[in-house]
Amino acid sequence: MLAMTETIATDVAIVGGGPAGIAAALVLRGRGVGRVTILEREADVGGVPRHCGHPPFGMREFGRVLTGPAYAQRLAEAARQAGVEIRTGLSVTALRPGARLDAMCAAGPVEIVAGRVILATGARESSRAARLISGDRPVGVITTGTLQHEVHIEKMLPFRRPVIVGTELVSLSAVATCRKAGIRPVAVIEAADRPTARRPLDLFPRLLGIPMHYRATIAEIRGRGRVEAIAIRLADGSMRELACDGVLLTGRFTPEAALVRPSHLVLDDGSGGPAIDQFGRCSDPSYFAAGNLLRPIETAGWSYREGARIGAMVADDLAGTLPPYVTTTTIVRGANVKLVVPQRLSASGHTGSLDSLQIRVDAATTGPLVARDGSQVLWCRHGRLLPERRILIPLSALQGPRAAGGTIIIEAAGSGSG
Amino acid sequence: MPDGDLFDVAVVGGGVVGCAVARRFTLDGARTVLLERGADILSGASKANSALLHTGFDAPPASLEVACMQAGYREYLEIRERLNLPLLETGAMVVAWNEADRERLNAIEAQARQNGVDDVRRLTPAEVLAREPHLAPDTRGALLVPGEHVIDPWSAPLAYLTQAVENGARAVFGAEVTGGSFDGSEWALQTSKGPVRTGLVVNCAGLFGDILEQRLLGSAGFTIKPRKGQFVVFDKAAAAFLRTIILPVPNERTKGVVLTRTIFGNVLVGPTAEEQDDRDHAGVDEAVLRTLIAKAVAMVPALAGMPVTAVYAGLRPASERKEYRVSADAERRWISVGGIRSTGLTAALGLAAHVARLHADMKQKKDLQPLKNPVWPRMTNLAEHLERDWQKPDHGDIVCHCELVTRREIEAALNGPLPAGDVGGLKRRTRAGMGRCQGFYCQARVAALSEGRLADPLAVDACHD
C-alpha cells in the first residue's frame, strides 16, 4: 500500500522541541509570525530536561526552581498557549535546499515546505564505541541520557552497582539519579587530575561516600552477558579491578548532527554542529541553528536564551531586516582551541546578533586567550582555561572594519596543565 | 525438550553453518533438531564478520572451500528473493598500493581464473580512481572482481533456520551438549536442556567443535585455534566516499584489512587476525581500533575525522590447518563440519548441500522424502538501499531514531517462530541501538518493550522511586 505524502506548509519549521526550539518558537509567535511548527520525533516535546528528575531548571525562564520534567511541561504548555503548532512522533529524515524537509510519521511520509528552518536537535553523550573503550562488549554500558530515560520514564533500573566515568555537570546529574533510584555507584573515575564540573558541585559524589579516582582511565570492560567488572589504570600506572554490574559513561557530548552531516549544509569539524554566522544562519541561509546542536554543551537555560535570540533573528529575516548572507570574516581555531561558534561573521551593523564567540579549549592552560587578525591582536585575556567550561569573547571586540575574506584566529597557547 | 522423540538429525551449533545445515535436512525431509548452547542463534563466530558474499576468486584452488563457497554463492542468489534477503551489488577491487602488491596481482588473477571466476579484470590506476574517486591517489592499479557483493550477515542465517523451523524442525536454545553415547544405530545426547535421541549428529559447533568431539567421540579430528578479528564501523556519512569493496593484496606478513560498505549504509574496516586461546571472549582494543581507523583513512583520506558508530570483534574458528575440516564417520553416524574460518557466511548453503551428500552416502535405514511444498518465510528487510518498515504506513512509531527501527519491527523480533533470545539477537534482527548514538535515545524504550523476554536483559529490575 502506498501512503499519500502529507504536506506541511509553515512559515518556520523548528526541528527539535527542546528548550532551544521551544524558546525560538515562542519568540517567533510573539513577533507575529503566523505559522510556527515544532517537529519532534519523540512522543512529547521538552527535550532532555524531561528525563532530569531533579532541580534546578527554569530560574530565569519561569522565575522559580523546577525539576527537569516540570520545566519541560512548562515549556510545552507555553508553546501550546502561544499557538505554536506541535507535531510529535514525526521524524525528519532529510534536509533539502531552500527550507524543505523530508519526514516520516506513523501515518506515512510528510513533506515540510517552510519559509525558514531552525535546527535545534540538541546533543547526546558519546557512546562506548565512539570512545573506543577496550574490552568485552556486555550489556550494561550506558550513558546518563539512557539512565535517566530508563529510570524516570520507563521506571526501570539498568544496573545496581555501576562505575561512573566522568565528572562533568551531567555526571553529577547522574549521581543524583542513581541516588534517587537506589542505585549505588561503586566509584567515579576521571581521566583528568581534577573534576570537570565547578566547585562546589564536584564535592557532591564524595559527600555521598562514593570513592573518587582521578587520573584514572578504563583499561578494559569485562563480562560475558552483563558487565562483571572493569579494570582501571590508576595515576601511577597500576591496574585495579572494580567489580560492578554496569558502566555509566557520562558527558563527552557531541551535537546530534545526524541530519546535517549528509546534507548540503556545511558541518564544522570543531563543534561537530553546523557552521553558522553571528545570526545563527547555516551555509544555506534558509536554515538557522540553535542550542546544543551548535556546540557541546550548555545548560538548558543557556539553550533557551540562545533559542530565543535565534528566533528573533529568524523573525528579522522574515521581515527582511537581517543583513544579507555574505561572509566577511572566517573565524579559525588556533592552538588548543577545540571549537568556536559562530564560525563566520556576516556584514556587521545589525545589533541583534549573538553577543559572543563561544569557545572551548582542548586542554587546561594558564595564559592568554587571543583573538587576532594577522599580527593585529583584537582581543586578549589572561587567565586559567579549563576544558568543557564556557569561554566567551565579545563579538563587539571583533567587529571593526575589515577587508572581505579576512580571518580571525583564536588561540589559547598558554602553558600546559597544572 | 520432548522426551523420547527420535530425530533423524541433530545439528549442534546455531551459527550460520548450523542454520544452513538444519534448513537443508529439513527441506530434504529429515526430522531435524538444532541444539544451540547460547540464548540465540549466532552467539559465537557467526555474529561478527565482514558480511561479504564472496566469489571464491582467492580461495585455495580445487578445495572443498572454494566448491562450497561457489555453491553457496549460487544458492544464496537463487533463494534470496523468496526469503527476502538483500544483496548490495558492489563488486570488489583488490587494490595494489605498491610495486610488490602490483606484481602479486598477476598471481591473484591467475588463481581467480583457475577458480572459474572469469569476469575479473585488471584496472589501471586511472580506472581505479575513476571508479572510486575518494580512494588515495597513490594506487598502482587493481584487480576488479565484479561478483563480490555485500549481504546482511544476520538475516541470512535467521532465514535459514526460520525456514527449517516453519517446516517442522526444532530449535532449542540454552542447550549445551554435555555428553552422549552411540548404541550402534542411534545417538543418545545429553544436553543442558535434557536428553535428545537422534540417528545422526552434525557437528557445527564452530569454536567448540573439537571440544564436542572430545566429549562425544573421545578424540577430535581437528583442533580449533581461535583467531580474533576486530572491526570499526564508520558513520553512514562515510558511505558517500565508497561504493566498491576494497580488498587488500595479501602478502607473507599479513592478509590485510577490507574496507567496505555495509548493507546497512555504513562503512566497515577490518578484520585484524589475532591468534588467541580464549574461545569465549572477543574483546576490542583501543590501540588496535586506532590502527584500523588509520588504515581506513590511508585508503580513503576523506574518512579522517569521520565519527565511529560501532566497534566489534569476532572469533574465527580456524583450525591448525588452512582448510575446512569436513568429514563423515558412517560407522558412528557423525558428520563433522570444522575449521570454517572466515568464509562460512558465503559457504554455508554449499556446506549444507555437501553435508547432505555425505549423509546420503551413508547406509540409510530409510530414504528421506524431500518436502513437496515447503514454506518460504520472508525476512524483515534491514538493508538501507531497499524499502524499510519505517517507510511503510502504520508501523506504530519509530523507536530507534538513528536506524529508523519501528515498534512493529521490535515486537515482531520478540515474537514469531525464532524470537530474539538476548540483546544482541534483538539488535541483529532489528538494528535497534546499532546506529550512531548506540542506544542513547532508544535503549530505555527497547528495555521496556523487551522486558522479561531476553537473557541478560537491558534492565535488571523495575525502579521503585
Side-chain angles (χ1 to χ4, degrees), chain A residues 106 134-136 155 157 224, chain B residues 280-281 284 286 394 460-461 463:
Chain A
S134 300
D136 299 327
K155 308 288 180 199
L157 289 186
R224 264 201 63 160
Chain B
D280 278 313
H281 292 263
V284 292
E286 179 180 352
D394 305 319
V460 294
D461 203 351
C463 172

Side-chain angles (χ1 to χ4, degrees), chain B residues 127-373:
Chain B
E127 288 171 322
V128 170
L129 292 175
R131 195 180 165 95
E132 290 297 338
H134 295 282
L135 217 57
D138 54 342
T139 86
R140 302 295 183 88
L143 181 71
L144 178 69
V145 191
E148 299 272 305
H149 297 313
V150 173
I151 62 174
D152 178 340
W154 304 309
S155 71
L158 181 64
Y160 306 157
L161 189 59
T162 303
Q163 188 173 29
V165 168
E166 293 209 345
N167 286 289
R170 293 276 321 266
V172 188
F173 295 96
E176 181 174 357
V177 177
T178 52
S181 57
F182 181 65
D183 68 1
S185 71
E186 68 178 61
W187 276 96
L189 301 179
Q190 292 140 24
T191 83
S192 46
K193 281 286 177 77
V196 174
R197 293 167 58 218
T198 178
L200 176 77
V201 176
V202 184
N203 173 9
C204 301
L207 290 158
F208 298 88
D210 54 346
I211 292 175
L212 181 74
E213 302 209 341
Q214 279 155 9
R215 277 184 194 167
L216 272 73
L217 303 177
S219 66
F222 55 91
T223 307
I224 291 296
K225 302 276 186 190
R227 198 160 68 221
K228 183 163 79 177
Q230 301 188 48
F231 295 85
V232 173
V233 180
F234 291 101
D235 189 274
K236 291 188 174 180
F241 303 120
L242 190 70
R243 299 194 59 78
T244 314
I245 302 161
I246 306 301
L247 298 174
V249 175
N251 60 35
E252 296 79 16
R253 207 168 46 79
T254 167
K255 198 157 179 278
V257 301
V258 177
L259 185 68
T260 174
R261 291 169 75 148
T262 71
I263 201 109
F264 314 112
N266 298 81
V267 167
L268 173 76
V269 64
T272 56
E274 306 162 54
E275 310 272 337
Q276 65 175 47
D277 293 327
D278 193 319
R279 299 165 190 246
D280 278 313
H281 292 263
V284 292
D285 180 85
E286 179 180 352
V288 173
L289 298 172
R290 289 193 188 284
T291 308
L292 284 174
I293 292 168
K295 284 182 176 170
V297 172
M299 287 188 262
V300 176
L303 292 177
M306 184 61 66
V308 168
T309 290
V311 299
Y312 63 96
L315 298 177
R316 291 107 91 199
S319 75
E320 77 282 15
R321 284 195 226 146
K322 288 183 174 180
E323 61 192 33
Y324 284 3
R325 310 300 288 277
V326 181
S327 61
D329 181 341
E331 293 301 310
R332 288 192 284 185
R333 308 282 299 167
W334 181 280
I335 296 175
S336 197
V337 187
I340 311 302
R341 303 172 292 159
S342 56
T343 47
L345 178 63
T346 298
L349 293 167
L351 275 163
H354 180 70
V355 168
R357 283 191 297 273
L358 291 176
H359 173 248
D361 291 343
M362 292 179 180
K363 208 173 89 184
Q364 305 299 330
K365 276 183 252 176
K366 57 162 193 176
D367 284 336
L368 296 178
Q369 292 298 319
L371 302 189
K372 286 202 176 64
N373 289 303

Side-chain angles (χ1 to χ4, degrees), chain A residues 349-383:
Chain A
H350 186 85
T351 53
S353 74
L354 297 171
D355 296 326
S356 313
L357 276 190
Q358 303 177 49
I359 316 282
R360 297 286 187 279
V361 294
D362 282 314
T365 55
T366 303
L369 177 66
V370 178
R372 61 178 172 83
D373 180 352
S375 59
Q376 184 196 354
V377 173
L378 304 172
W379 184 92
C380 179
R381 192 184 69 196
H382 286 265

Side-chain angles (χ1 to χ4, degrees), chain B residues 98-119:
Chain B
N98 53 49
E99 203 49 34
D101 278 359
R102 199 181 67 79
E103 280 167 23
R104 284 194 194 91
L105 287 183
N106 294 327
I108 296 170
E109 182 176 1
Q111 188 175 352
R113 295 191 189 285
Q114 194 180 350
N115 286 345
V117 183
D118 289 324
D119 58 351

Side-chain angles (χ1 to χ4, degrees), chain B residues 390-449:
Chain B
W390 66 270
Q391 292 162 301
K392 300 171 189 169
D394 305 319
H395 54 61
D397 58 329
I398 291 171
V399 175
C400 166
H401 298 294
C402 300
E403 293 297 304
L404 297 165
V405 181
T406 66
R407 193 176 66 203
R408 181 165 64 188
E409 285 175 307
I410 290 172
E411 284 166 352
L414 292 166
N415 294 290
L418 276 178
D422 55 21
V423 175
L426 181 61
K427 289 164 103 174
R428 291 189 283 272
R429 279 171 182 75
T430 62
R431 294 202 56 71
M434 293 185 106
R436 49 175 67 85
C437 89
Q438 293 281 296
F440 176 86
Y441 294 113
C442 74
Q443 186 169 315
R445 278 202 72 198
V446 174
L449 288 167

Side-chain angles (χ1 to χ4, degrees), chain A residues 1-3 41-42 48 89 91 93 103-109 121-125 127-137 139-146 149-152 154-160 180-181 218 222-226 228 245 253 256-259 261-262, chain B residues 37 43 47-48 208 232 235 237 280-287 289-290 293 305-313 390-399 401-402 404 423-424 436-445 447-449 451 455-465:
Chain A
M1 189 178 78
L2 221 89
R41 63 191 189 179
E42 300 287 346
V48 166
S91 300
T93 54
M104 185 61 69
C105 69
T121 48
R124 59 177 159 79
E125 293 161 290
S127 70
R128 180 254 165 98
R131 292 170 179 238
L132 303 180
I133 295 172
S134 300
D136 299 327
R137 297 179 308 116
V139 171
V141 183
I142 65 169
T143 53
T144 316
T146 304
H149 189 171
E150 208 158 316
V151 166
H152 294 307
E154 306 294 350
K155 308 288 180 199
M156 301 175 86
L157 289 186
F159 38 51
R160 291 192 183 85
K180 197 159 173 240
I218 301 190
R222 294 175 185 158
R224 264 201 63 160
R226 167 164 286 276
E228 291 157 18
D245 69 346
F253 281 87
E256 180 47 70
L259 288 169
R261 202 171 278 280
Chain B
R37 74 172 198 147
S43 293
K47 73 179 165 207
F208 298 88
V232 173
D235 189 274
D280 278 313
H281 292 263
V284 292
D285 180 85
E286 179 180 352
L289 298 172
R290 289 193 188 284
I293 292 168
M306 184 61 66
V308 168
T309 290
V311 299
Y312 63 96
W390 66 270
Q391 292 162 301
K392 300 171 189 169
D394 305 319
H395 54 61
D397 58 329
I398 291 171
V399 175
H401 298 294
C402 300
L404 297 165
V423 175
R436 49 175 67 85
C437 89
Q438 293 281 296
F440 176 86
Y441 294 113
C442 74
Q443 186 169 315
R445 278 202 72 198
L449 288 167
E451 188 180 3
D456 296 312
L458 290 166
V460 294
D461 203 351
C463 172
H464 316 281
D465 69 343

